[in-house]
Amino acid sequence: ATDANAQSPLTRNFPDSINGNIFEPRFVPEPPTVISPNEVTLDFGSSSVSALYELSSLDGSVGALAGARYVQFDIDAFGSTYDDSRVSPFASAYVKPTEQTTIYLSYSQALESGGTAPATAVNSNEQLQPQVTEQFEIGAKAEFGDTFFSIAYFDLMRPLEFVNDDNIFASDGEQTHRGVEVQVNGQIGERIRLVSGV
C-alpha cells in the first residue's frame, strides 16, 4: 500500500514557467534541492550465481543447454525496503543443418529490480519491488566466409510500471515486447567492414 500523503525526501522548487526558445535561450540557475528532516537512505545490492549443463551430439549438430540462476536483491531506498531472491530457469536448444548454419530456440526468466517513481508522482523516489521477466527467442544464424547473417524473433514479457490516475507510480499488468531482429556483418572490401542491424 502507498501512503497518498507521503512526501518525497528530495524535492526541487521549480519556477512556474520559463519563457524562451532555441533562438533566444533563457539560462536559469539550478533550482535548490530541499531535503526533508526525515532520514534519507539509499542502499542497493544484488548478487547472483548461475549453474548450467550442456549436452550435444558427438558431431555437434544437435545440442541443448539448461540451467538456473539465483539472484538476490537487497534494497533500502527512500523508505522502500526489499530483500527478495529467486531461482530462475533458462534453457536453449539448437540444430546445425550444415556447418555454416544454426537454428536455435531459447527461454529464460530473470528477476529484475523494480522501477523508481518519478519526482512528479505522489510516491516520488519509491523503489518498486523486484519483478520477474520472461523471454522466448527463436532464430537462425549463418556464416559464410567473413560474412555473418542472423535473424531472430523475440517475445519479452515484463511487468507494466506507470503513473496511474491517482498519480501513484505502480506496477499493474504486463507489457509485451515482440519483434524481429536482423543482422548482417562482414568484410566487403580490404578496408570496409559492414556492421548492420534492423
Side-chain angles (χ1 to χ4, degrees):
T2 302
D3 182 2
N5 297 316
Q7 297 294 318
S8 168
L10 294 176
T11 59
R12 289 188 184 276
N13 294 326
F14 289 97
D16 291 336
S17 64
I18 300 172
N19 296 321
N21 56 50
I22 60 174
F23 304 106
E24 297 180 1
R26 294 282 307 275
F27 299 96
V28 296
E30 181 178 348
T33 300
V34 179
I35 302 178
S36 73
N38 300 325
E39 181 181 2
V40 176
T41 60
L42 179 58
D43 185 13
F44 182 93
S46 66
S47 58
S48 66
V49 62
S50 300
L52 59 89
Y53 180 76
E54 184 174 7
L55 181 67
S56 64
S57 61
L58 292 177
D59 60 359
S61 62
V62 179
L65 178 108
R69 180 182 298 110
Y70 173 80
V71 179
Q72 179 172 7
F73 284 102
D74 295 308
I75 302 171
D76 185 2
F78 302 112
S80 304
T81 303
Y82 302 109
D83 183 0
D84 201 356
S85 63
R86 180 182 173 86
V87 176
S88 302
F90 59 89
S92 65
Y94 67 86
V95 176
K96 295 177 67 70
T98 68
E99 285 190 16
Q100 294 81 23
T101 58
T102 303
I103 300 172
Y104 69 91
L105 172 69
S106 68
Y107 169 78
S108 63
Q109 285 186 4
L111 182 67
E112 298 182 358
S113 61
T116 303
T120 55
V122 171
N123 58 335
S124 62
N125 295 317
E126 180 182 349
Q127 179 85 30
L128 298 187
Q129 67 183 27
Q131 304 275 0
V132 176
T133 63
E134 289 184 288
Q135 179 170 324
F136 296 91
E137 184 173 330
I138 184 170
K141 300 178 181 181
E143 190 171 355
F144 300 102
D146 292 331
T147 306
F148 173 79
F149 302 89
S150 73
I151 182 170
Y153 168 81
F154 62 88
D155 195 322
L156 173 65
M157 292 160 286
R158 53 195 324 266
L160 179 62
E161 298 174 338
F162 62 99
V163 177
N164 62 24
D165 293 339
D166 295 324
N167 197 30
I168 296 174
F169 184 69
S171 176
D172 187 11
E174 183 178 74
Q175 57 180 314
T176 301
H177 303 265
R178 296 187 180 102
V180 176
E181 184 177 52
V182 180
Q183 293 186 27
V184 180
N185 303 327
Q187 200 76 24
I188 59 175
E190 290 186 7
R191 299 182 144 188
I192 301 176
R193 180 168 184 82
L194 174 69
V195 179
S196 63
V198 177

